[in-house]
Amino acid sequence: MTKPEIAKLQDYLRRKFANNNIRIVAMKAADSAEVYIGEESIGVIADDKEDGDDSFVFRMPILDIDLDE
């Protein structure tokens, strides 16, 4: 992912979830970035270029132990 894409995604997620603590950090894989709230990693965004369409997939795993908090 490019820096401009990451900046746009970060702005979008901050507005969508009304949370300015969301930040996105590029990963070594060129098509992925990690999503954080504060210092906690909450998921990964991947660039999905399929059939000429450019979209992004956000995956957020939720562990059963997280539900007990």
Side-chain angles (χ1 to χ4, degrees):
M1 274 189 222
T2 66
K3 286 185 180 186
E5 287 175 325
I6 289 173
K8 285 181 183 179
L9 287 165
Q10 181 173 280
D11 182 58
Y12 171 79
L13 290 177
R14 285 178 174 181
R15 284 183 287 113
K16 186 58 120 176
F17 296 110
N19 189 335
N20 286 329
N21 293 319
I22 293 173
R23 64 188 173 90
I24 300 177
V25 178
M27 297 174 69
K28 288 185 180 185
D31 66 342
S32 299
E34 197 159 3
V35 180
Y36 290 85
I37 295 181
E39 296 302 314
E40 182 179 2
S41 173
I42 64 163
V44 173
I45 290 183
D47 192 353
D48 184 12
K49 290 182 169 80
E50 190 173 305
D51 299 328
D53 293 328
D54 196 10
S55 63
F56 300 91
V57 178
F58 176 51
R59 290 187 178 90
M60 183 176 134
I62 301 172
L63 304 175
D64 61 346
I65 60 171
D66 292 334
L67 299 174
D68 294 332
E69 293 180 0

